[in-house]
Amino acid sequence: MPAVLADLGATPLAGHEASIRSLLRLAGPGEEFAPSASVQAEGVTVQLDTAAAVDIGAERRRLEKDLSAARADAAATERRLATPSFVERAPEAVVARSRERLAAAQAEIARLEQRLAALPGSG
């Protein structure tokens, strides 16, 4: 898989790039390298071009399905929290869990939207 090993030169691993690439089966970036995933470890950011390894259409459909579910969860929780009788009558712990659930759903929405935008062929 094509990869860029960013900041490798600033680590004790600097002299071992060829071995790292061989062990992890990473190729050098080609002319049309388009990073679609990254991971950080030991001060090195590994940027990967997963276009050849991942079915982008299937990944887009999966992310859109997950995004739809997260939006539905957030909307339902917002409606519940917008109901005065729920907020007034429910135990504070239940209201707090609902607020936490809304915050988690909103964070998941942001994460999924970012992942969708990062897919090749997006926007």
Side-chain angles (χ1 to χ4, degrees):
M1 180 174 301
V4 169
L5 303 174
D7 303 321
L8 183 66
T11 71
L13 301 171
H16 304 285
E17 182 171 356
S19 297
I20 292 168
R21 285 186 178 282
S22 176
L23 287 169
L24 300 176
R25 298 181 181 184
L26 300 175
E31 289 181 29
E32 296 191 22
F33 180 80
S36 54
S38 67
V39 64
Q40 290 185 313
E42 301 298 323
V44 178
T45 301
V46 180
Q47 298 173 335
L48 302 168
D49 184 349
T50 62
V54 175
D55 180 344
I56 300 299
E59 180 67 2
R60 182 177 309 284
R61 288 186 298 277
R62 185 188 70 76
L63 290 171
E64 287 171 347
K65 179 181 174 187
D66 291 350
L67 180 58
S68 178
R71 285 179 174 157
D73 187 33
T77 305
E78 283 176 336
R79 283 191 302 274
R80 186 176 313 117
L81 289 169
T83 305
S85 62
F86 171 75
V87 176
E88 293 167 4
R89 295 181 183 163
E92 183 54 38
V94 172
V95 174
R97 277 196 306 272
S98 291
R99 288 186 176 127
E100 290 169 6
R101 183 178 182 140
L102 177 59
Q106 290 170 334
E108 181 70 354
I109 289 166
R111 183 187 74 81
L112 291 167
E113 287 175 341
Q114 183 179 22
R115 294 266 318 269
L116 275 166
L119 286 177
S122 296

